[in-house]
Amino acid sequence: MQIHTLDKAQLINEVQLGNNLNHAVEGGRRADFALMLAMLSPDHLETIPVDALPKPGKTEPELRAYFELQDPQPLSTTEHCYDNGAAQAKAFHSSGIADARLLHELQPTALNFPPQGTKGMPEEVYHNLSGHERRMLPPKEDATIKASPQDLYLSLIHAKRFAEMYQTA
């Protein structure tokens, strides 16, 4: 019976002690301070404050649709970025900076134009490689296999015939 009352008397955090813990430190009452610390719960899951999770709000695409905003500026190039960039350059040369800014706000171009055809490497590194080293690089895109079951069957027959020829020789 006494064990259950001790379980109920256990404190979860120091806020429940009020100013008693501070007064014990200031007064030099080590026994009271030690007793109050011993009464605190050792379970860290009880002492960690847990707030209720906020209700999920609207996502960014929902808010963009609600406020009728355009898509955000892309981080990397798409197929339309080069055309948009050329139109902005033409507008700048023909009409000035105001038209170029207007076109940029209406159709934003990408923030990053990575080099193309360098297999994901920086240009200075790729162009510093020899032709042999460039050929040895793995392709950046996965090459899809253009084979049919008939072609596979024929290639298996050829492989079998070559294996038979080299085993007997």
mmCIF file of all heavy atoms in Angstrom, residues 36-76:
data_model
loop_
_atom_site.group_PDB
_atom_site.id
_atom_site.type_symbol
_atom_site.label_atom_id
_atom_site.label_comp_id
_atom_site.label_asym_id
_atom_site.label_seq_id
_atom_site.Cartn_x
_atom_site.Cartn_y
_atom_site.Cartn_z
ATOM 1 N N MET A 36 13.836 16.520 -2.865
ATOM 2 C CA MET A 36 12.993 17.005 -3.973
ATOM 3 C C MET A 36 13.500 16.484 -5.323
ATOM 4 O O MET A 36 12.712 16.122 -6.193
ATOM 5 C CB MET A 36 12.953 18.530 -3.974
ATOM 6 C CG MET A 36 12.099 19.107 -2.870
ATOM 7 S SD MET A 36 12.012 20.867 -3.014
ATOM 8 C CE MET A 36 12.515 21.356 -1.404
ATOM 9 N N LEU A 37 14.828 16.433 -5.510
ATOM 10 C CA LEU A 37 15.360 15.892 -6.755
ATOM 11 C C LEU A 37 15.103 14.400 -6.873
ATOM 12 O O LEU A 37 14.845 13.886 -7.966
ATOM 13 C CB LEU A 37 16.857 16.163 -6.868
ATOM 14 C CG LEU A 37 17.257 17.587 -7.192
ATOM 15 C CD1 LEU A 37 18.771 17.673 -7.340
ATOM 16 C CD2 LEU A 37 16.582 18.069 -8.449
ATOM 17 N N ALA A 38 15.128 13.677 -5.740
ATOM 18 C CA ALA A 38 14.866 12.242 -5.775
ATOM 19 C C ALA A 38 13.409 11.960 -6.097
ATOM 20 O O ALA A 38 13.086 10.905 -6.649
ATOM 21 C CB ALA A 38 15.247 11.612 -4.437
ATOM 22 N N MET A 39 12.530 12.889 -5.752
ATOM 23 C CA MET A 39 11.115 12.686 -6.034
ATOM 24 C C MET A 39 10.764 12.931 -7.497
ATOM 25 O O MET A 39 9.706 12.512 -7.956
ATOM 26 C CB MET A 39 10.270 13.602 -5.135
ATOM 27 C CG MET A 39 10.269 13.189 -3.684
ATOM 28 S SD MET A 39 9.401 14.347 -2.640
ATOM 29 C CE MET A 39 7.760 14.231 -3.265
ATOM 30 N N LEU A 40 11.659 13.580 -8.248
ATOM 31 C CA LEU A 40 11.392 13.806 -9.663
ATOM 32 C C LEU A 40 11.447 12.482 -10.422
ATOM 33 O O LEU A 40 12.220 11.586 -10.103
ATOM 34 C CB LEU A 40 12.399 14.779 -10.259
ATOM 35 C CG LEU A 40 12.266 16.228 -9.830
ATOM 36 C CD1 LEU A 40 13.425 17.040 -10.369
ATOM 37 C CD2 LEU A 40 10.959 16.798 -10.306
ATOM 38 N N SER A 41 10.659 12.356 -11.419
ATOM 39 C CA SER A 41 10.573 11.127 -12.203
ATOM 40 C C SER A 41 11.840 10.937 -13.030
ATOM 41 O O SER A 41 12.294 11.861 -13.703
ATOM 42 C CB SER A 41 9.365 11.186 -13.127
ATOM 43 O OG SER A 41 9.370 10.087 -14.002
ATOM 44 N N PRO A 42 12.416 9.745 -13.006
ATOM 45 C CA PRO A 42 13.611 9.496 -13.820
ATOM 46 C C PRO A 42 13.282 9.198 -15.284
ATOM 47 O O PRO A 42 14.176 9.132 -16.115
ATOM 48 C CB PRO A 42 14.240 8.285 -13.154
ATOM 49 C CG PRO A 42 13.090 7.547 -12.588
ATOM 50 C CD PRO A 42 12.103 8.602 -12.162
ATOM 51 N N ASP A 43 12.017 8.996 -15.595
ATOM 52 C CA ASP A 43 11.631 8.653 -16.959
ATOM 53 C C ASP A 43 11.668 9.906 -17.833
ATOM 54 O O ASP A 43 10.935 10.855 -17.606
ATOM 55 C CB ASP A 43 10.238 8.040 -16.966
ATOM 56 C CG ASP A 43 9.862 7.475 -18.313
ATOM 57 O OD1 ASP A 43 10.743 7.430 -19.200
ATOM 58 O OD2 ASP A 43 8.707 7.077 -18.489
ATOM 59 N N HIS A 44 12.542 9.903 -18.837
ATOM 60 C CA HIS A 44 12.688 11.080 -19.690
ATOM 61 C C HIS A 44 11.478 11.293 -20.583
ATOM 62 O O HIS A 44 11.240 12.394 -21.050
ATOM 63 C CB HIS A 44 13.955 10.969 -20.531
ATOM 64 C CG HIS A 44 15.195 11.024 -19.713
ATOM 65 N ND1 HIS A 44 15.592 12.150 -19.050
ATOM 66 C CD2 HIS A 44 16.117 10.083 -19.423
ATOM 67 C CE1 HIS A 44 16.702 11.921 -18.393
ATOM 68 N NE2 HIS A 44 17.054 10.668 -18.597
ATOM 69 N N LEU A 45 10.726 10.244 -20.833
ATOM 70 C CA LEU A 45 9.532 10.405 -21.661
ATOM 71 C C LEU A 45 8.465 11.232 -20.947
ATOM 72 O O LEU A 45 7.636 11.863 -21.579
ATOM 73 C CB LEU A 45 8.965 9.046 -22.058
ATOM 74 C CG LEU A 45 9.877 8.210 -22.959
ATOM 75 C CD1 LEU A 45 9.255 6.855 -23.216
ATOM 76 C CD2 LEU A 45 10.136 8.928 -24.262
ATOM 77 N N GLU A 46 8.503 11.209 -19.617
ATOM 78 C CA GLU A 46 7.546 12.018 -18.866
ATOM 79 C C GLU A 46 7.986 13.464 -18.766
ATOM 80 O O GLU A 46 7.160 14.366 -18.678
ATOM 81 C CB GLU A 46 7.375 11.453 -17.451
ATOM 82 C CG GLU A 46 6.643 10.141 -17.405
ATOM 83 C CD GLU A 46 6.505 9.621 -15.983
ATOM 84 O OE1 GLU A 46 7.087 10.240 -15.063
ATOM 85 O OE2 GLU A 46 5.834 8.613 -15.797
ATOM 86 N N THR A 47 9.289 13.690 -18.782
ATOM 87 C CA THR A 47 9.764 15.051 -18.565
ATOM 88 C C THR A 47 9.861 15.863 -19.846
ATOM 89 O O THR A 47 9.999 17.066 -19.791
ATOM 90 C CB THR A 47 11.152 15.029 -17.901
ATOM 91 O OG1 THR A 47 12.046 14.313 -18.751
ATOM 92 C CG2 THR A 47 11.098 14.369 -16.546
ATOM 93 N N ILE A 48 9.813 15.204 -20.999
ATOM 94 C CA ILE A 48 9.891 15.933 -22.258
ATOM 95 C C ILE A 48 8.539 16.563 -22.541
ATOM 96 O O ILE A 48 7.521 15.879 -22.581
ATOM 97 C CB ILE A 48 10.287 14.991 -23.413
ATOM 98 C CG1 ILE A 48 11.692 14.458 -23.179
ATOM 99 C CG2 ILE A 48 10.206 15.711 -24.744
ATOM 100 C CD1 ILE A 48 12.116 13.428 -24.163
ATOM 101 N N PRO A 49 8.502 17.872 -22.725
ATOM 102 C CA PRO A 49 7.212 18.490 -23.040
ATOM 103 C C PRO A 49 6.769 18.117 -24.458
ATOM 104 O O PRO A 49 7.540 18.216 -25.405
ATOM 105 C CB PRO A 49 7.480 19.982 -22.921
ATOM 106 C CG PRO A 49 8.942 20.112 -23.119
ATOM 107 C CD PRO A 49 9.565 18.846 -22.637
ATOM 108 N N VAL A 50 5.567 17.660 -24.554
ATOM 109 C CA VAL A 50 5.026 17.265 -25.843
ATOM 110 C C VAL A 50 3.833 18.148 -26.137
ATOM 111 O O VAL A 50 2.856 18.148 -25.390
ATOM 112 C CB VAL A 50 4.609 15.778 -25.843
ATOM 113 C CG1 VAL A 50 4.016 15.393 -27.185
ATOM 114 C CG2 VAL A 50 5.796 14.895 -25.519
ATOM 115 N N ASP A 51 3.940 18.914 -27.200
ATOM 116 C CA ASP A 51 2.828 19.760 -27.610
ATOM 117 C C ASP A 51 1.978 19.010 -28.612
ATOM 118 O O ASP A 51 2.457 18.124 -29.331
ATOM 119 C CB ASP A 51 3.341 21.052 -28.253
ATOM 120 C CG ASP A 51 4.101 21.912 -27.260
ATOM 121 O OD1 ASP A 51 3.810 21.804 -26.053
ATOM 122 O OD2 ASP A 51 4.974 22.673 -27.694
ATOM 123 N N ALA A 52 0.751 19.383 -28.661
ATOM 124 C CA ALA A 52 -0.119 18.782 -29.659
ATOM 125 C C ALA A 52 0.316 19.241 -31.041
ATOM 126 O O ALA A 52 0.706 20.396 -31.242
ATOM 127 C CB ALA A 52 -1.565 19.186 -29.392
ATOM 128 N N LEU A 53 0.284 18.325 -31.983
ATOM 129 C CA LEU A 53 0.686 18.676 -33.336
ATOM 130 C C LEU A 53 -0.308 19.656 -33.933
ATOM 131 O O LEU A 53 -1.515 19.534 -33.716
ATOM 132 C CB LEU A 53 0.750 17.418 -34.207
ATOM 133 C CG LEU A 53 1.827 16.412 -33.836
ATOM 134 C CD1 LEU A 53 1.695 15.160 -34.692
ATOM 135 C CD2 LEU A 53 3.202 17.017 -34.028
ATOM 136 N N PRO A 54 0.185 20.629 -34.664
ATOM 137 C CA PRO A 54 -0.747 21.575 -35.286
ATOM 138 C C PRO A 54 -1.574 20.875 -36.359
ATOM 139 O O PRO A 54 -1.139 19.884 -36.959
ATOM 140 C CB PRO A 54 0.166 22.639 -35.886
ATOM 141 C CG PRO A 54 1.481 21.956 -36.061
ATOM 142 C CD PRO A 54 1.571 20.932 -34.971
ATOM 143 N N LYS A 55 -2.742 21.404 -36.589
ATOM 144 C CA LYS A 55 -3.595 20.833 -37.609
ATOM 145 C C LYS A 55 -2.939 21.042 -38.968
ATOM 146 O O LYS A 55 -2.366 22.096 -39.217
ATOM 147 C CB LYS A 55 -4.973 21.503 -37.585
ATOM 148 C CG LYS A 55 -5.734 21.224 -36.320
ATOM 149 C CD LYS A 55 -7.080 21.915 -36.353
ATOM 150 C CE LYS A 55 -7.818 21.664 -35.054
ATOM 151 N NZ LYS A 55 -9.099 22.368 -35.008
ATOM 152 N N PRO A 56 -3.014 20.040 -39.806
ATOM 153 C CA PRO A 56 -2.371 20.211 -41.117
ATOM 154 C C PRO A 56 -3.066 21.306 -41.915
ATOM 155 O O PRO A 56 -4.287 21.302 -42.073
ATOM 156 C CB PRO A 56 -2.524 18.845 -41.788
ATOM 157 C CG PRO A 56 -3.619 18.162 -41.048
ATOM 158 C CD PRO A 56 -3.631 18.735 -39.659
ATOM 159 N N GLY A 57 -2.273 22.244 -42.373
ATOM 160 C CA GLY A 57 -2.816 23.354 -43.150
ATOM 161 C C GLY A 57 -2.878 23.002 -44.617
ATOM 162 O O GLY A 57 -2.698 21.852 -45.032
ATOM 163 N N LYS A 58 -3.104 23.984 -45.389
ATOM 164 C CA LYS A 58 -3.169 23.767 -46.828
ATOM 165 C C LYS A 58 -1.757 23.641 -47.375
ATOM 166 O O LYS A 58 -0.825 24.275 -46.888
ATOM 167 C CB LYS A 58 -3.901 24.929 -47.500
ATOM 168 C CG LYS A 58 -5.361 24.990 -47.133
ATOM 169 C CD LYS A 58 -6.076 26.028 -47.956
ATOM 170 C CE LYS A 58 -7.551 25.991 -47.621
ATOM 171 N NZ LYS A 58 -8.332 26.834 -48.503
ATOM 172 N N THR A 59 -1.629 22.833 -48.377
ATOM 173 C CA THR A 59 -0.327 22.646 -49.003
ATOM 174 C C THR A 59 -0.024 23.817 -49.932
ATOM 175 O O THR A 59 -0.905 24.620 -50.253
ATOM 176 C CB THR A 59 -0.297 21.337 -49.802
ATOM 177 O OG1 THR A 59 -1.283 21.414 -50.831
ATOM 178 C CG2 THR A 59 -0.569 20.144 -48.901
ATOM 179 N N GLU A 60 1.216 23.896 -50.368
ATOM 180 C CA GLU A 60 1.617 24.999 -51.234
ATOM 181 C C GLU A 60 0.862 25.007 -52.566
ATOM 182 O O GLU A 60 0.419 26.070 -53.006
ATOM 183 C CB GLU A 60 3.119 24.954 -51.484
ATOM 184 C CG GLU A 60 3.616 26.126 -52.298
ATOM 185 C CD GLU A 60 5.117 26.129 -52.494
ATOM 186 O OE1 GLU A 60 5.812 25.347 -51.833
ATOM 187 O OE2 GLU A 60 5.576 26.916 -53.324
ATOM 188 N N PRO A 61 0.672 23.852 -53.221
ATOM 189 C CA PRO A 61 -0.111 23.904 -54.470
ATOM 190 C C PRO A 61 -1.557 24.357 -54.254
ATOM 191 O O PRO A 61 -2.123 25.070 -55.087
ATOM 192 C CB PRO A 61 -0.055 22.466 -54.994
ATOM 193 C CG PRO A 61 1.153 21.873 -54.380
ATOM 194 C CD PRO A 61 1.300 22.541 -53.057
ATOM 195 N N GLU A 62 -2.163 23.978 -53.126
ATOM 196 C CA GLU A 62 -3.528 24.425 -52.837
ATOM 197 C C GLU A 62 -3.573 25.932 -52.625
ATOM 198 O O GLU A 62 -4.495 26.608 -53.107
ATOM 199 C CB GLU A 62 -4.073 23.708 -51.607
ATOM 200 C CG GLU A 62 -4.342 22.238 -51.825
ATOM 201 C CD GLU A 62 -4.724 21.530 -50.539
ATOM 202 O OE1 GLU A 62 -4.611 22.152 -49.449
ATOM 203 O OE2 GLU A 62 -5.126 20.367 -50.608
ATOM 204 N N LEU A 63 -2.587 26.472 -51.905
ATOM 205 C CA LEU A 63 -2.542 27.921 -51.686
ATOM 206 C C LEU A 63 -2.271 28.675 -52.989
ATOM 207 O O LEU A 63 -2.848 29.729 -53.224
ATOM 208 C CB LEU A 63 -1.468 28.267 -50.649
ATOM 209 C CG LEU A 63 -1.790 27.870 -49.205
ATOM 210 C CD1 LEU A 63 -0.585 28.098 -48.314
ATOM 211 C CD2 LEU A 63 -2.985 28.632 -48.691
ATOM 212 N N ARG A 64 -1.411 28.121 -53.839
ATOM 213 C CA ARG A 64 -1.152 28.766 -55.132
ATOM 214 C C ARG A 64 -2.410 28.781 -55.985
ATOM 215 O O ARG A 64 -2.690 29.759 -56.680
ATOM 216 C CB ARG A 64 -0.025 28.050 -55.869
ATOM 217 C CG ARG A 64 1.325 28.357 -55.298
ATOM 218 C CD ARG A 64 2.426 27.806 -56.193
ATOM 219 N NE ARG A 64 3.710 28.257 -55.691
ATOM 220 C CZ ARG A 64 4.243 29.428 -55.943
ATOM 221 N NH1 ARG A 64 3.612 30.286 -56.692
ATOM 222 N NH2 ARG A 64 5.411 29.764 -55.446
ATOM 223 N N ALA A 65 -3.183 27.697 -55.940
ATOM 224 C CA ALA A 65 -4.431 27.662 -56.713
ATOM 225 C C ALA A 65 -5.454 28.629 -56.122
ATOM 226 O O ALA A 65 -6.185 29.302 -56.854
ATOM 227 C CB ALA A 65 -4.990 26.239 -56.733
ATOM 228 N N TYR A 66 -5.507 28.732 -54.793
ATOM 229 C CA TYR A 66 -6.473 29.617 -54.142
ATOM 230 C C TYR A 66 -6.192 31.085 -54.469
ATOM 231 O O TYR A 66 -7.102 31.857 -54.770
ATOM 232 C CB TYR A 66 -6.447 29.392 -52.626
ATOM 233 C CG TYR A 66 -7.390 30.289 -51.860
ATOM 234 C CD1 TYR A 66 -8.759 30.050 -51.849
ATOM 235 C CD2 TYR A 66 -6.906 31.393 -51.154
ATOM 236 C CE1 TYR A 66 -9.621 30.867 -51.161
ATOM 237 C CE2 TYR A 66 -7.759 32.217 -50.456
ATOM 238 C CZ TYR A 66 -9.119 31.951 -50.463
ATOM 239 O OH TYR A 66 -9.977 32.774 -49.772
ATOM 240 N N PHE A 67 -4.906 31.470 -54.404
ATOM 241 C CA PHE A 67 -4.540 32.858 -54.668
ATOM 242 C C PHE A 67 -4.237 33.116 -56.144
ATOM 243 O O PHE A 67 -3.814 34.204 -56.506
ATOM 244 C CB PHE A 67 -3.335 33.264 -53.812
ATOM 245 C CG PHE A 67 -3.665 33.381 -52.358
ATOM 246 C CD1 PHE A 67 -3.150 32.491 -51.437
ATOM 247 C CD2 PHE A 67 -4.499 34.383 -51.896
ATOM 248 C CE1 PHE A 67 -3.450 32.597 -50.095
ATOM 249 C CE2 PHE A 67 -4.802 34.498 -50.560
ATOM 250 C CZ PHE A 67 -4.282 33.600 -49.656
ATOM 251 N N GLU A 68 -4.418 32.113 -56.965
ATOM 252 C CA GLU A 68 -4.206 32.201 -58.408
ATOM 253 C C GLU A 68 -2.789 32.676 -58.736
ATOM 254 O O GLU A 68 -2.585 33.592 -59.532
ATOM 255 C CB GLU A 68 -5.256 33.100 -59.067
ATOM 256 C CG GLU A 68 -6.671 32.595 -58.896
ATOM 257 C CD GLU A 68 -7.719 33.537 -59.462
ATOM 258 O OE1 GLU A 68 -7.340 34.599 -59.994
ATOM 259 O OE2 GLU A 68 -8.898 33.215 -59.364
ATOM 260 N N LEU A 69 -1.820 32.041 -58.128
ATOM 261 C CA LEU A 69 -0.417 32.366 -58.379
ATOM 262 C C LEU A 69 0.145 31.407 -59.414
ATOM 263 O O LEU A 69 -0.317 30.281 -59.560
ATOM 264 C CB LEU A 69 0.394 32.248 -57.083
ATOM 265 C CG LEU A 69 0.018 33.203 -55.955
ATOM 266 C CD1 LEU A 69 0.819 32.876 -54.717
ATOM 267 C CD2 LEU A 69 0.263 34.634 -56.382
ATOM 268 N N GLN A 70 1.151 31.857 -60.105
ATOM 269 C CA GLN A 70 1.796 30.990 -61.084
ATOM 270 C C GLN A 70 2.726 30.006 -60.378
ATOM 271 O O GLN A 70 2.967 30.110 -59.174
ATOM 272 C CB GLN A 70 2.578 31.823 -62.086
ATOM 273 C CG GLN A 70 3.752 32.562 -61.473
ATOM 274 C CD GLN A 70 4.457 33.416 -62.489
ATOM 275 O OE1 GLN A 70 4.003 33.534 -63.595
ATOM 276 N NE2 GLN A 70 5.563 34.007 -62.104
ATOM 277 N N ASP A 71 3.271 29.079 -61.132
ATOM 278 C CA ASP A 71 4.208 28.115 -60.569
ATOM 279 C C ASP A 71 5.468 28.833 -60.109
ATOM 280 O O ASP A 71 5.838 29.867 -60.664
ATOM 281 C CB ASP A 71 4.569 27.065 -61.622
ATOM 282 C CG ASP A 71 3.380 26.171 -61.951
ATOM 283 O OD1 ASP A 71 2.515 25.997 -61.072
ATOM 284 O OD2 ASP A 71 3.325 25.646 -63.079
ATOM 285 N N PRO A 72 6.154 28.299 -59.092
ATOM 286 C CA PRO A 72 7.373 28.970 -58.623
ATOM 287 C C PRO A 72 8.482 28.884 -59.662
ATOM 288 O O PRO A 72 8.432 28.092 -60.604
ATOM 289 C CB PRO A 72 7.737 28.190 -57.356
ATOM 290 C CG PRO A 72 7.136 26.852 -57.557
ATOM 291 C CD PRO A 72 5.874 27.076 -58.340
ATOM 292 N N GLN A 73 9.494 29.692 -59.462
ATOM 293 C CA GLN A 73 10.633 29.704 -60.366
ATOM 294 C C GLN A 73 11.362 28.372 -60.247
ATOM 295 O O GLN A 73 11.699 27.938 -59.149
ATOM 296 C CB GLN A 73 11.569 30.851 -60.006
ATOM 297 C CG GLN A 73 12.730 31.016 -60.949
ATOM 298 C CD GLN A 73 13.545 32.251 -60.631
ATOM 299 O OE1 GLN A 73 13.366 32.876 -59.596
ATOM 300 N NE2 GLN A 73 14.455 32.589 -61.512
ATOM 301 N N PRO A 74 11.589 27.687 -61.370
ATOM 302 C CA PRO A 74 12.255 26.380 -61.287
ATOM 303 C C PRO A 74 13.706 26.535 -60.848
ATOM 304 O O PRO A 74 14.360 27.528 -61.151
ATOM 305 C CB PRO A 74 12.153 25.828 -62.711
ATOM 306 C CG PRO A 74 11.944 27.015 -63.573
ATOM 307 C CD PRO A 74 11.234 28.035 -62.740
ATOM 308 N N LEU A 75 14.198 25.537 -60.123
ATOM 309 C CA LEU A 75 15.571 25.582 -59.654
ATOM 310 C C LEU A 75 16.552 25.187 -60.741
ATOM 311 O O LEU A 75 17.649 25.725 -60.832
ATOM 312 C CB LEU A 75 15.741 24.669 -58.444
ATOM 313 C CG LEU A 75 14.933 25.057 -57.212
ATOM 314 C CD1 LEU A 75 15.142 24.051 -56.105
ATOM 315 C CD2 LEU A 75 15.303 26.440 -56.742
ATOM 316 N N SER A 76 16.164 24.227 -61.572
ATOM 317 C CA SER A 76 17.035 23.790 -62.651
ATOM 318 C C SER A 76 16.274 23.869 -63.969
ATOM 319 O O SER A 76 15.054 24.006 -63.982
ATOM 320 C CB SER A 76 17.498 22.359 -62.390
ATOM 321 O OG SER A 76 18.494 22.005 -63.325
#
